[in-house]
Every structure is written in C-alpha cells, then in structure tokens.
C-alpha cells in the first residue's frame, strides 16, 4: 500500500527530524526558557559551532567527537558572552526587552558576517562514512545522516535533564529563574549561576551545530531559518521544560514531515511558525508550562 | 518644534521634492533617494508601535512584503495606477496589523516579537505557493506608464515616496502629541498601571498595530513599480526588518524625529556603502552600530543630544 508507506515514512522521519530540532532548541530552552534572556543569537552560535565542527572534521576528527571536545571552548565563550551582556544590561538594572533583543540581533549579524569573511558563503559539510547510506527496515527508509543526530539528541537531553533535576547546581539553576534574591540568601551567587547556565547553553549550541551539519550542508546564514523554529519549540514546550522541548520538537517535526509528504516541501517552513502563532494565540504557556 | 513651523517645513519639503525632477537630470539620485525615503517611512511606521508603545516588531518585512505583493497583484490583475496600489496596501497592512495584534497582544513583550518573526515566514511560504504571483521565482510587474510631468518612472516613484514620507511623519507627530501617544507611552511604562488609569490597553495596542502596519505596508507598495520585478526573497528581506529596528534605535525612539534622523543617516550611509564597499560589510557595520548604540547610547542620538544639553545647562548654572 503506497499510502501506508508514505505515512509510515513521514512519521519516522518526522520523529527523527523532531529529535534533531529538540537538540537545536535545547540551548534556547535554557537561555530563554529558564533565564528569560531572548537569545536570538542562539542559531547563529549554532552555525558557528557547525563551522568549528567542519573545521575539525577536515582534520580527520569525527563530528560528534569534535563537538564534544568543542563544548569546552564554547562553554567559555558563553561565559564571556554572558559577562558582556550582564555588564551592558543587568548590572545597570535594566531588563529592557527591546535592547537585549537588539543586542543579540546585532551579535548574530556579527557572527554571520565573521563566518562569511572567514569561510566564504559556500555550503560546507562534514565527511563521515555513514552519510549517503540509509537504514532499511521493512518499508521504512531512514538515512543515517538523520538517524545519527536523532539518536544523539535524546542522550544529550537526558543528560541535561538529570543534571537539572538531580544535582545541586542544576537545582540552583532552576531556582535562579524563580527568584534570584532568595537564591542569594541561601548562599549561592545568582550571577555566577546565570553565567554558568549561559555557558551550558552555548556549549549545547556546538552539539546542535554538529547535528545540523551532519544532517546537511550549512552556510553562514543557515541559522536564520532556525530562529523561528527553535523559539516555536521552546514556547510550545512551555518555558524551561526540558522533556517538553523533546515532545514539542517531535510534534513540529512530524507536522513538517506530514506536510512535506502530502502537500509539498515548499509549505514545510511555514508549519513551525503556524504552530507557534497558534500556540501564542490559544495557550501561551505551552504544553508543559505552568500558567 | 511648534506645529505651524513644522507644517510649513513639511509643506516646503513636499513642494520642493515634487519640483525636483524639473531641475535634477541624473535619475540615479532619485533611485538612491527613493530607498532613503522608503526607510524614513518604514522607520516612522515601526516607531509608532515599537518606540511609543514598546512592542518590538521583528517582522517589519512581513508588512512591507504584503504591501509589495498587494501592489504586484493589482498591477497584474487590473493594471491599477500607483495611488490605488498604495491605498490598497495600506488597507491590507492595517488588517494584517490588527490580525497579528489580536492574536498576540494579550501576552506581553517578547512573545509579540517572536510572533512577528513567525509572521514573515508564514507570509513568505504563502507567497511561495501562489503560482499566480510567480511563486518562488517572482514575477515581472510592468506598471502603467508614469504621468509625463515627472519625466520618468524613477522620478515618479521618488515623488510618490516623498509624499508618503511626509504623510507618515506628520501622522507620527500627530499621534505622538495626541491622547493616542499618551496612552501608548503609558502602556510602555507599565501596562497594569495604564489599565488602572483607564487606558483601554488592548484596543490602544491594536490601534498602534493597525497604524504601524498600514504605514509599513504603504512603504512597500511602490516597490513593484520601482523594481518592475518582485520576488519573495527581496520583498520579505531581512534587511528591511533589521533596518526598521536599527534606524529608530539609532535616532531615538521617543520622538517622531528620531526615526527620521536614524533613517536618513543609516540609509544614506548604506547607499554609499553598497556602491563603494561590499554588502556583507554593510551588514556587519549595521550589526556593530546596533550593539554599540544599545550598550553605549540606549536612547539613541536624541538621547545623546539631551545628555549634552543637560551637561551644558549644569555647567552654565555653576558660575
């Protein structure tokens, strides 16, 4: 049955796609979801991560191993970045959304152009043995370039979730979103926790970049199409919900895959945004968010 | 500035501009001037919602693109003249503004901004899939010829854009000084407090959205005439959204003159930069200028001037 083939494959690739999207959105679910910092530069950081992975891959490193190693410098980068942001805004006591959004917007432009200057505007990709081959399982056909990053995502999400719920600093991280004053009373410095959280989010950007570049080639502006999608996922999930991020991302992945299979690929980019607009209109607190 | 001198100056600029084609021969000046004026309209429109009410629209290009495609549709379907295109674009932009506002304005701040990003992609996807409007590759828009008096297409759209710019600025100044502007400022300062003082916040925000959307959309309408080719990529270009944000921020968002200063400054620099250096560095420059202004001069050039005046006054007071 052709219809059954089509729908099964759409569902499977939708789940895989969604899993990858979850990884892309994970950093943002910390910065925006937990810290309430609208980091629109996250996708650009992700692309910067992808380029770093491509660079390492050209020297013979496996992209996932490279990404894991790169989390360290990216964590440091995130800390520097947060320090800059905090000096510019939070210490002056202005949480003005316009200004922080604009700042991150400017930062993402600078990152994009820096990449253009350094690497040119050509598409870049990684070379791994499994790209080009597919997993065949009955009627299901799933390319490994989707499968591998799709399997990476749940592992990272699980690790992050365990960290957030099982460790003391994870607890502090969740607490800082609620009330940094109370947190400082219990002897934890909220600024250092926020800095740490931003570092983790930026480290996650390089993992996301690796996933993205395994899936397909990237160019310096590839982050732009992701901006809306990752925000859609974080909002749909309910701010700050880590498991919700996976569920929301898979829902969006499936919706996109179904639209691609049954309507036309040209409609797919609109899906995430339509879902986002719908969520904002009907249930702004998201699927797993507290009211 | 008082109202009478302001209106006199506006009228002088208008009349002077309309007679410009009789004296200036080189069409390139009109070509570049059109772009600068287009950004005056866009920045002014953006500022009504973004500057006065504090609701950041990242999706300016959605409204601009809607204006472009309304005009393109009218040219293709009816061969409609430019004034009709502009009016129609204004109406569509207004409706789009109300619809977006109604969907998202009940929740605050960041969500509205994110929703406007989404709006761009939804509209762009929609246009991509309408074959009548040329889909992804776009379409030719051969407009009816311009009235002979203007001496050419470029001069004609330049003058049209000049009229739009003057109208937009006069409207923005009027709004700023009327009860609408006062309500919007109250909303920006504190929404619950504004509500408590009897400002109908939701309807005021919807009004601001409608006016802002209409002004940005009319800025897009003459584009089909100007470029004689429209495609989704340039109609929904990120540059539009970026500049719409950057110009008021650089000029100062509190007053109508801020976006005008920002637009004249940034758009002229960009016009010169695209001719002399590459367009990538152009974007890089905008990015750096944005960061610098946000960090160092969050109130823009107007804020810098106010600070300077304050300093001078203090120095003067101290003998």
């Amino acid at each position: 049955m052709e219809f059954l083939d089509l729908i099964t494959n759409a569902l499977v690739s939708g789940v895989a796609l969604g899993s990858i999207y979850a990884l892309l959105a994970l950093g943002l679910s910390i910065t925006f979801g937990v810290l309430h910092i609208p980091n629109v530069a996250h996708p650009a950081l992700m692309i910067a991560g992808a380029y770093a992975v491509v660079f390492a891959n050209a020297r013979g490193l496996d992209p996932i191993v490279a990404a894991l190693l790169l989390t360290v410098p990216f964590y440091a980068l995130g800390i520097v970045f947060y320090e800059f942001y905090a000096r510019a805004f939070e210490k002056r006591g202005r949480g003005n959304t316009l200004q922080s959004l604009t700042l991150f917007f400017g930062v993402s432009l600078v990152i994009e152009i820096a990449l253009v200057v350094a690497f040119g505007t050509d598409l870049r990709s990684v070379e791994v043995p499994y790209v080009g081959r597919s997993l065949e399982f009955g009627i299901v056909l799933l390319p490994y370039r989707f499968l591998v990053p799709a399997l990476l995502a749940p592992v990272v999400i699980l690790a992050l979730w365990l960290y957030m719920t099982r460790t003391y600093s994870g607890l502090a991280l969740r607490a800082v979103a609620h009330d940094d004053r109370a947190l400082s009373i219990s002897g934890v410095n909220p600024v250092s926790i926020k800095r740490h959280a931003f570092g983790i989010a930026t480290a996650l950007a390089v993992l996301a970049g690796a996933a993205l570049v395994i899936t397909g080639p990237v160019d310096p502006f590839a982050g732009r199409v992701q901006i809306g999608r990752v925000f859609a996922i974080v909002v749909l999930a309910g701010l700050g919900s880590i498991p919700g991020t996976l569920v929301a991302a898979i829902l969006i992945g499936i919706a996109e895959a179904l639209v691609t299979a049954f309507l036309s690929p040209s409609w797919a980019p609109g899906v995430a945004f339509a879902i986002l607009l719908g969520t904002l209109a009907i249930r702004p607190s998201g699927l797993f968010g507290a009211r | 500035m008082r109202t009478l001198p302001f209106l006199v100056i506006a009228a002088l600029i208008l009349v002077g501009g309309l007679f410009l084609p009789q004296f200036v021969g080189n069409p390139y000046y009109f070509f570049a001037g059109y772009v600068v004026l287009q950004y005056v309209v866009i920045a002014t429109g953006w500022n009504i919602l973004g500057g006065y009410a504090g609701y950041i629209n990242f999706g300016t290009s959605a409204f601009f693109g809607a204006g472009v495609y309304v005009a393109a549709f009218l040219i293709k379907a009816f061969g409609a003249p430019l004034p009709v295109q502009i009016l129609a674009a204004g109406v569509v932009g207004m409706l789009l503004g109300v619809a977006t506002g109604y969907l998202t304005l009940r929740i605050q701040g960041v969500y509205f901004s994110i929703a406007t990003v989404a709006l761009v992609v939804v509209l762009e996807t929609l246009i991509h899939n309408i074959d009548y409007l040329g889909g992804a590759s776009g379409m030719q828009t051969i407009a009816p010829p311009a009235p002979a008096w203007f001496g050419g297409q470029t001069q004609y759209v330049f003058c049209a854009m000049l009229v739009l710019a003057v109208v937009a600025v006069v409207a923005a100044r009027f709004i700023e000084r009327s009860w609408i502007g006062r309500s919007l400022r109250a909303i920006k300062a504190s929404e619950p407090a504004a509500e408590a003082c009897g400002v109908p916040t939701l309807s005021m925000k919807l009004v601001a959205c409608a006016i802002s959307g209409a002004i940005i959309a009319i800025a897009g309408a003459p584009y089909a005439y100007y470029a004689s080719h429209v495609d989704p990529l340039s109609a929904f270009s990120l540059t539009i959204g970026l500049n719409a944000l950057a110009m008021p921020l650089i000029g100062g968002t509190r007053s109508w003159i801020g976006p005008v200063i920002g637009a004249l400054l940034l758009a002229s620099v960009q016009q010169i930069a695209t001719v002399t250096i590459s367009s990538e560095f152009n974007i890089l420059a905008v990015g750096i200028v944005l960061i610098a202004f946000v960090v160092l001069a969050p109130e823009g050039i107007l804020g810098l001037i106010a600070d300077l005046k304050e300093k001078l006054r203090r120095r003067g007071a101290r003998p």
Side-chain angles (χ1 to χ4, degrees):
Chain A
M1 262 192 76
E2 203 170 291
F3 177 75
L4 198 66
D5 268 28
L6 204 59
I7 198 159
T8 321
N9 272 301
L11 283 176
V12 169
S13 64
V15 172
L17 206 60
S19 180
I20 298 167
Y21 288 165
L23 192 53
L24 307 189
L26 209 52
L28 194 71
S29 85
I30 294 181
T31 45
F32 185 54
V34 179
L35 303 180
H36 301 289
I37 299 171
N39 183 8
V40 284
H42 185 73
L45 281 168
M46 209 155 77
I47 301 304
Y51 269 83
V53 168
V54 168
F55 186 78
N57 179 253
R59 276 142 197 82
L61 223 56
D62 180 80
I64 293 175
V65 176
L68 286 173
L69 292 174
L70 281 164
T71 51
V72 180
F74 268 75
Y75 175 84
L77 182 74
I79 284 181
V80 173
F81 190 24
Y82 181 78
E83 199 54 36
F84 175 66
Y85 168 79
R87 263 164 218 256
F89 293 112
E90 298 211 327
K91 282 179 187 161
R92 269 193 253 160
R94 293 175 305 153
N96 187 328
T97 319
L98 164 60
Q99 289 164 354
S100 49
L101 275 173
T102 315
L103 176 76
F104 286 117
F105 205 39
V107 168
S108 80
L109 289 174
V110 171
I111 293 175
E112 282 172 357
I113 303 303
L115 289 175
V116 170
V117 171
F119 299 99
T121 48
D122 297 341
L123 286 167
R124 295 298 180 105
S125 56
V126 286
E127 278 184 30
V128 268
Y130 48 79
V131 165
R133 288 190 286 135
S134 293
L135 177 76
E136 277 188 72
F137 188 79
I139 52 169
V140 176
L141 188 74
L142 189 65
Y144 280 110
R145 65 188 176 92
F146 284 111
L147 186 62
V148 172
L151 290 177
L152 175 68
V155 176
V156 176
I157 289 168
L158 183 69
L160 184 69
W161 184 73
L162 287 175
Y163 170 73
M164 294 277 276
T165 52
R166 298 287 189 276
T167 66
Y168 183 72
S169 71
L171 183 70
L173 208 159
R174 283 183 296 141
V176 84
H178 284 284
D179 192 342
D180 32 348
R181 255 250 189 89
L183 189 67
S184 65
I185 291 170
S186 59
V188 182
N189 179 3
V191 175
S192 77
I193 289 290
K194 283 186 187 173
R195 206 189 293 137
H196 173 61
F198 215 94
I200 293 180
T202 315
L204 287 169
V206 74
L207 291 177
L212 201 64
V213 77
I214 294 174
T215 318
V218 294
D219 68 29
F221 302 104
R224 288 183 184 172
V225 282
Q226 305 293 349
I227 295 180
R229 190 178 282 136
V230 290
F231 271 98
I233 290 166
V234 173
V235 172
L236 183 62
L239 293 185
S241 167
I242 304 291
T245 306
L246 186 60
V247 176
I250 287 179
L251 278 180
I252 286 180
I254 290 176
E256 279 186 17
L258 287 177
V259 167
T260 307
F262 290 101
L263 209 53
S264 132
S266 62
W267 282 103
V271 173
F273 298 93
I275 292 177
L276 173 65
L277 284 179
T279 317
L280 287 175
I282 298 162
R283 192 179 153 78
S285 56
L287 293 174
F288 297 87
R291 278 237 171 224
Chain B
M1 211 186 288
R2 287 176 177 278
T3 303
L4 193 64
F6 169 78
L7 288 178
V8 170
I9 291 175
L12 282 179
I13 290 177
L14 197 60
V15 174
L18 290 182
F19 278 95
L20 213 57
Q22 315 300 324
F23 302 109
V24 179
N26 188 346
Y28 173 75
Y29 292 114
F30 295 98
F31 201 74
Y34 171 89
V35 178
V36 175
L37 286 173
Q38 167 190 305
Y39 279 120
V40 171
V41 181
I42 291 175
T44 302
W46 183 93
N47 200 45
I48 289 174
L49 187 65
Y52 301 163
Y55 273 76
I56 311 313
N57 182 356
F58 269 126
T60 309
S61 53
F63 294 92
F64 181 83
V68 171
Y69 268 95
V70 166
F73 170 75
L74 288 177
I75 291 175
K76 182 164 183 188
F78 310 110
L82 189 56
V84 176
Q85 297 168 29
I86 291 171
L87 284 179
V91 172
V92 170
M94 190 158 81
L95 293 176
L96 196 61
V98 172
T100 321
Y102 193 75
L103 275 179
T104 56
L105 281 177
R106 278 165 297 166
I107 38 179
Q108 293 177 353
V110 193
Y111 293 104
F112 172 76
S113 307
I114 296 167
T116 53
V117 177
L119 186 67
V120 182
V121 181
V122 170
L123 281 189
E124 201 180 340
T125 310
L126 201 66
I127 296 292
H128 261 268
N129 288 287
I130 298 178
D131 288 333
Y132 185 74
L133 294 176
S137 52
M139 66 180 207
Q140 296 286 22
T141 44
I142 307 301
W149 190 79
F150 293 98
Q153 294 272 47
T154 319
Q155 284 88 333
Y156 180 47
V157 283
F158 170 83
C159 290
M161 198 47 103
L162 183 73
V163 174
L164 295 181
V166 171
V167 169
V169 171
V170 170
R173 186 177 177 277
F174 170 75
I175 288 167
E176 186 183 323
R177 302 192 165 205
S178 70
W179 57 278
I180 306 177
R182 283 194 295 277
S183 327
L184 294 179
R185 280 196 293 280
I187 289 172
K188 186 182 184 181
S190 161
E191 223 154 297
E195 187 81 43
C197 296
V199 177
T201 51
L202 180 61
S203 27
M204 290 320 296
K205 285 188 285 183
L206 284 178
V207 167
C209 244
I211 299 172
S212 176
I215 292 180
I216 297 168
I218 60 169
Y223 182 84
Y225 219 116
Y226 171 77
S228 60
H229 180 268
V230 297
D231 62 281
L233 209 59
S234 52
F236 296 97
S237 149
L238 181 87
T239 324
I240 305 274
L242 173 65
N243 279 331
L245 188 81
M247 288 162 177
L249 205 82
I250 288 170
T253 55
R254 282 170 187 246
S255 175
W256 58 272
I257 189 114
V260 176
I261 295 174
L264 291 177
L265 215 64
L266 201 58
S268 313
V269 170
Q270 283 173 347
Q271 280 304 305
I272 297 164
T274 35
V275 180
T276 49
I277 20 176
S278 76
S279 60
E280 268 103 39
F281 280 99
N282 191 349
I283 300 180
L284 183 66
V286 179
I288 291 173
V289 166
L290 266 185
I291 297 173
F293 264 93
V294 165
V295 174
L296 303 173
E299 295 297 329
I301 292 173
L302 288 184
L304 287 180
I305 293 175
D307 283 353
L308 204 66
K309 269 189 189 162
E310 178 70 18
K311 259 183 207 160
L312 286 178
R313 197 182 58 80
R314 276 204 200 142
R315 199 165 291 170
R318 205 187 312 136

